[in-house]
Amino acid sequence: MRDWRAARVRGFAPSIFAEISALAQAHQAINLGQGFPDFDGPLEIKQAAQAAIQAGHNQYAVFEGEPVLRQAIAAHALRFYGQLVDPTTEIMVTSGASEGIWCSAFAFIEPGDEVIVFEPVFDCYLPNTLMAGGIPVPVTLHTPHFRFDPDELRAAFSPRTRAIFVNTPHNPTGTVFAREELLLIAELCQEYDVLAIADEVYEHLVYEGARHVRLATLPGMRERTVTLSSSGKSFSLTGWKIGWAIAPAPLQVALRRMHQFTVFESTTPMQHAIASALRLPDDYFQNLIAEYQAKRDFMRETLTGCGLHPANPAGSYFMLASIEEFPHAEAVEFAHFLIREIGVAFIPCPPFYLQPERGARLVRVAFCKRWETLEAAAERLARL
Ligand SMILES: Cc1ncc(COP(=O)(O)O)c(C=O)c1O
């Protein structure tokens, strides 16, 4: 039969997340692979969505986002980062940050452009870059602390560089880029006239001792940064898929063309509810951090206790762990063994690298789960 697939999709396999989740389900393993909470977001936000439905916010939204949400996104940017954003011309609501990544790749990358990514890399930057015709150029975040070497970053920039994806706090490592690291990225972006696509979906998940710095607020970066974020992680409502892209008006024009001819708009009642979520008081965000920090510490102790070597992530709800004490195992094989024999699922890291063998000794563990889930996983892991 004729192969109907366009060349641009042929090279991509189903994601590792789907594969591990299916295997976890088949073996009734506790799934610490999937990067979403197994608990619900705040009750008042769910009630706000119900109220929006009852109030008749059920037809197509304004295509660039409901004004009430764009105003809340602008107020949030000012409140947390002192960033002044015009809600009319500088914000677009997306269907999750995923759509923002897709729109950015297709709005700004020309065939043959080089695009810098930090690896291990969040899985969708590579396919989006490649489908847009770009050439990914990796800069490694080195073990054990998952930071980049400034000389390697400098060497990755060239006159062919069009864009850089900067994901902080970073998935899968949990690294929160320090101000000095972001200043170097900013300096190089300006020297080489490069666009920054800043993916900040974990902006509120930053633990004691670290601070999230918004790249767009650094000197010279406002006009060359697209900031992507999303309500999914900050409000434990990943299924709602309400995200946004903040960018200066000339960049917005391009983003909005991509959005207009694909997704067009995101679900209306959820936009109204997220407008209230963004205005939740500070103690909501502080409690979220405290809860995740305690879970991070619990998971680190658990993993260390069973012979793995976990990193100490300053942000996100992921941690990487090295399997070096299991000298004969490779990460994919180890993850399969863990699901089948121990009943716990982690994500093996090879797919997060351009050269998969670089992730052969690492697994990713998600700790965005209820205490009962983490405790049950710890009990099973003790058998390791
Ligand atoms: C780094 C990063 N960016 C973007 C996304 C996608 O976010 P959304 O669910 O809002 O599309 C995720 C989700 O896991 C992520 O980890």
Side-chain angles (χ1 to χ4, degrees):
M1 197 174 96
R2 182 171 173 183
D3 184 352
W4 291 101
R5 293 172 303 167
R8 79 176 71 83
V9 298
R10 262 183 231 147
F12 302 107
S15 82
I16 185 71
F17 307 107
E19 181 194 321
I20 291 294
S21 290
L23 203 62
Q25 207 170 9
H27 291 270
Q28 295 185 340
I30 298 171
N31 196 340
L32 302 187
Q34 287 174 319
F36 58 79
D38 64 352
F39 51 88
D40 247 352
L43 177 65
E44 66 262 49
I45 305 310
K46 292 190 291 182
Q47 286 170 338
Q50 287 165 337
I53 291 171
Q54 292 302 337
H57 294 294
N58 299 306
Q59 306 308 327
Y60 287 135
V62 174
F63 103 99
E64 70 268 33
E66 289 288 271
V68 67
L69 177 55
R70 282 182 287 127
Q71 278 151 14
I73 293 166
H76 174 273
L78 189 63
R79 171 177 161 200
F80 286 97
Y81 310 108
Q83 183 188 24
L84 261 177
V85 183
D86 180 346
T88 310
T89 57
E90 297 184 319
I91 295 172
M92 179 176 86
V93 174
T94 57
S95 282
S98 311
E99 191 212 334
I101 294 165
W102 189 87
C103 286
S104 301
F106 281 80
F108 303 118
I109 298 170
E110 296 274 19
D113 284 342
E114 291 187 358
V115 178
I116 298 174
V117 295
F118 291 98
E119 71 167 6
V121 58
F122 173 58
D123 68 329
C124 75
Y125 300 163
L126 296 180
N128 277 291
T129 298
L130 290 166
M131 286 190 202
I135 302 163
V137 176
V139 172
T140 302
L141 298 174
H142 292 287
T143 51
H145 301 300
F146 297 103
R147 310 218 82 94
F148 63 81
D149 173 336
D151 292 333
E152 289 178 7
L153 180 68
R154 201 176 284 281
F157 276 80
S158 84
R160 293 178 302 281
T161 311
R162 175 76 156 210
I164 178 169
F165 279 102
V166 184
N167 172 212
T168 182
H170 182 260
N171 174 10
T173 65
T175 296
V176 177
F177 283 58
R179 191 179 177 84
E180 309 79 66
E181 291 172 315
L182 292 171
L183 281 168
L184 176 61
I185 293 171
E187 179 196 314
L188 291 167
C189 282
Q190 288 165 75
E191 188 179 327
Y192 287 90
D193 201 12
V194 165
L195 177 80
I197 305 167
D199 178 344
E200 302 184 6
V201 297
Y202 299 100
E203 61 182 298
H204 284 296
L205 306 187
V206 176
Y207 309 118
E208 218 167 55
R211 200 174 139 249
H212 174 61
V213 175
R214 177 154 282 189
L215 183 61
T217 63
L218 295 182
M221 291 308 284
R222 183 184 159 76
E223 61 271 26
R224 60 177 66 251
T225 305
V226 178
T227 304
L228 304 175
S229 195
S230 159
S231 56
K233 326 288 173 176
S234 301
F235 303 108
S236 312
L237 294 165
T238 56
W240 286 19
K241 294 297 275 185
I242 299 294
W244 47 91
I246 303 176
L251 299 180
Q252 278 286 335
V253 170
L255 288 169
R256 289 180 185 192
R257 289 301 78 76
M258 299 314 304
H259 177 70
Q260 176 182 347
F261 296 118
T262 51
V263 169
F264 187 73
E265 60 97 28
S266 307
T267 47
T268 314
M270 279 24 187
Q271 292 196 42
H272 285 260
I274 295 300
S276 3
L278 287 169
R279 295 184 192 276
L280 282 173
D282 288 350
D283 62 356
Y284 166 76
F285 297 98
Q286 286 155 3
N287 292 341
L288 182 76
I289 291 169
E291 186 70 8
Y292 273 141
Q293 186 162 313
K295 289 177 175 175
R296 176 199 66 172
D297 295 345
F298 173 81
M299 226 36 230
R300 278 199 82 221
E301 220 169 280
T302 301
L303 296 178
T304 307
C306 63
L308 293 163
H309 291 262
N312 191 19
S316 86
Y317 47 48
F318 301 112
M319 82 177 52
L320 293 188
S322 157
I323 59 168
E324 67 207 57
E325 303 237 344
F326 300 84
H328 303 300
E330 182 276 338
V332 175
E333 193 190 320
F334 180 77
H336 284 213
F337 158 80
L338 212 63
I339 292 172
R340 280 195 319 265
E341 306 297 330
I342 305 291
V344 177
F346 296 159
I347 300 289
C349 289
F352 295 128
Y353 287 83
L354 272 85
Q355 291 168 298
E357 60 281 6
R358 291 181 150 201
R361 315 292 296 147
L362 291 169
V363 289
R364 190 192 78 172
V365 181
F367 54 88
C368 49
K369 308 293 172 186
R370 285 171 293 154
W371 279 111
E372 304 90 275
T373 310
L374 297 179
E375 280 157 7
E379 222 166 90
R380 290 185 181 190
L381 284 167
R383 299 211 304 272
L384 249 187

